[in-house]
Structures are given as structure tokens and as C-alpha cells.
Amino acid sequence: SQTIHQWPATLVQPVGSPLSLECTVEGTSNPNLYWYRQAAGRGLQLLFYSVGIGQISSEVPQNLSASRPQDRQFILSSKKLLLSDSGFYLCAWIPGGNTIYFGEGSWLTVV
Amino acid sequence: GENVEQHPSTLSVQEGDSAVIKCTYSDSASNYFPWYKQELGKGPQLIIDIRSNVGEKKDQRIAVTLNKTAKHFSLHITETQPEDSAVYFCAADLYQTGANNLFFGTGTRLTVIP
């Protein structure tokens, strides 16, 4: 079966600390993978997408970065978090065709 | 690039009434239009989608219509129930550089009043 899993589900981090959110998928090879951010009460903002291992495209300049070390693994990172990085982060994928499926999300609060 | 606008931003209806959410898109090359439902604290879930070669699609109480000429599409929910309360997002797909890239509307918060 095709599944997407991201973690952690929630985290509270101090300003200036690093961040690592991980997303893994199962059920297909070479999927397109995405990281979105959703600020409170706002829409979905595409941050990064990847069409293959080591291939990352950035949609919005920021202090976040993404990496795809394995075909089914997508990581969102930051070396130093800002208050404005708080939000709901969603990993997503397209296992085939056009349909994009989202993970359950990670709530990040930067304090 | 594509620009998707969604209205209204909030919508309240009485249980049993219908709800309609409308979206417009700017790029006539877009050919895939999904709708997502997002409940509080969860990731968006696909509820229905439509492709540009179809004008209308229905799944039980949910239907989506597409007008390619006017570049707008709408979500219709009939006989609304309290569990329909959520944020709904429309999106348009513009395939570019090998990566399907969905452009989302800003969302509609639907409240169904019992």
C-alpha cells in the first residue's frame, strides 16, 4: 500500500535552534515529494519539491533547506530557527498521476 | 505562473442546506483541479477532483463543476452535515519542469450549524 509518514507531529523549539523534520513514503519508486508550510489560518505555501534523489527545487527563499538522501525520504531542515518559522509543515507526495497526498503534518512552535 | 483565487474565505450554513465554494485560475494550461478538506490539526485530504476534459463530476453529496472558458471551478456540497465543517482548499495543476506543481487557493472555512 502507498503511505506517507512524517514526524515529529509537534515540537517546540527555541529561536536559533536547529530543525529537522522527516518524511518517508512507501509503495512506489521515484515519487515527487513536497514540503508545504501553512501559517495559522492561512493557505498552503509550497517550500520545496523534489523529483529525485538529491534534486531539490526551492520555491521561496528562506532560512530553511531540504534534502532527499534516499528515494523515499525527504527532510526539512534549518540551522537557526526564527520566530516566523512557526507553523504547520506538511509533507506531500505524488505516487503517480496528478494526485497529491499529504502527510498528517508537523506543528512547529518557535519560542 | 498560476494564480488561484478562492471565495468565500468563510461560509456558514444551516445543517441540510447546500454550500458552494468557488475558485478561479489564471493559466489556461492548467488541466487538473482537486479539492481538499482539512480538519483541525490534520493534513488536507483529497475529496474530489476533476480534469479539464470533464465539465462536472459528482460523488454522493459532493460535486465539482468546471468552466474552462471562464477559468473557474466550484465545489458543491448538498445536504450539509456538521461533520462537513472544515477548511476546504481548491487547487490547479500546472505541470512544469517535470514536477506536478499544485497551486492552492487560500481556503474556505465552512461551518455547518446544527
Side-chain angles (χ1 to χ4, degrees):
Chain A
S1 62
Q2 296 174 336
T3 60
I4 178 170
H5 180 53
Q6 66 175 101
W7 70 93
T10 60
L11 66 165
V12 179
Q13 295 284 100
V15 170
S17 65
L19 170 73
S20 180
L21 300 178
E22 189 165 344
C23 174
T24 59
V25 298
E26 295 181 6
T28 192
S29 300
N30 199 33
N32 290 347
L33 298 173
Y34 304 81
W35 278 110
Y36 285 85
R37 175 168 60 196
Q38 188 175 32
R42 306 280 299 274
L44 294 156
Q45 179 188 35
L46 179 63
L47 301 176
F48 302 95
Y49 69 87
S50 172
V51 299
I53 295 175
Q55 300 179 61
I56 309 295
S57 296
S58 175
E59 292 295 305
V60 181
Q62 62 231 319
N63 70 323
L64 300 171
S65 62
S67 62
R68 187 168 177 177
Q70 300 180 44
D71 183 45
R72 301 188 184 103
Q73 184 183 31
F74 203 25
I75 298 172
L76 182 68
S77 304
S78 175
K79 293 183 178 178
K80 290 185 177 182
L81 284 169
L82 306 173
L83 286 174
S84 57
D85 291 324
S86 295
F88 190 44
Y89 289 82
L90 290 155
C91 182
W93 72 319
I94 295 180
N98 292 86
T99 304
I100 191 167
Y101 297 95
F102 289 88
E104 285 302 303
S106 298
W107 284 100
L108 169 65
T109 302
V110 182
V111 295
Chain B
E2 176 68 278
N3 180 44
V4 178
E5 295 188 356
Q6 182 173 347
H7 301 280
S9 58
T10 60
L11 178 61
S12 293
V13 299
Q14 291 292 135
E15 182 177 359
D17 288 350
S18 296
V20 180
I21 302 171
K22 299 181 179 181
C23 289
T24 61
Y25 61 100
S26 60
D27 196 321
S28 57
S30 292
N31 58 5
Y32 173 64
F33 307 92
W35 286 88
Y36 291 84
K37 175 184 180 182
Q38 186 177 27
E39 297 178 343
L40 187 63
K42 297 185 178 180
Q45 298 294 311
L46 179 73
I47 56 172
I48 196 167
D49 56 12
I50 192 168
R51 300 184 186 276
S52 59
N53 59 346
V54 176
E56 183 174 359
K57 184 177 178 181
K58 189 173 182 180
D59 182 4
Q60 299 182 342
R61 296 187 296 108
I62 295 173
V64 57
T65 58
L66 171 65
N67 184 326
K68 287 196 300 180
T69 302
K71 290 188 282 188
H72 65 72
F73 55 113
S74 300
L75 178 71
H76 304 253
I77 306 175
T78 59
E79 300 173 21
T80 53
Q81 301 168 3
E83 52 265 39
D84 294 329
S85 296
V87 178
Y88 291 81
F89 291 96
C90 64
D93 186 325
L94 178 61
Y95 191 88
Q96 55 183 179
T97 62
N100 296 54
N101 193 358
L102 281 178
F103 291 83
F104 285 88
T106 50
T108 296
R109 182 173 298 279
L110 173 64
T111 302
V112 179
I113 304 167

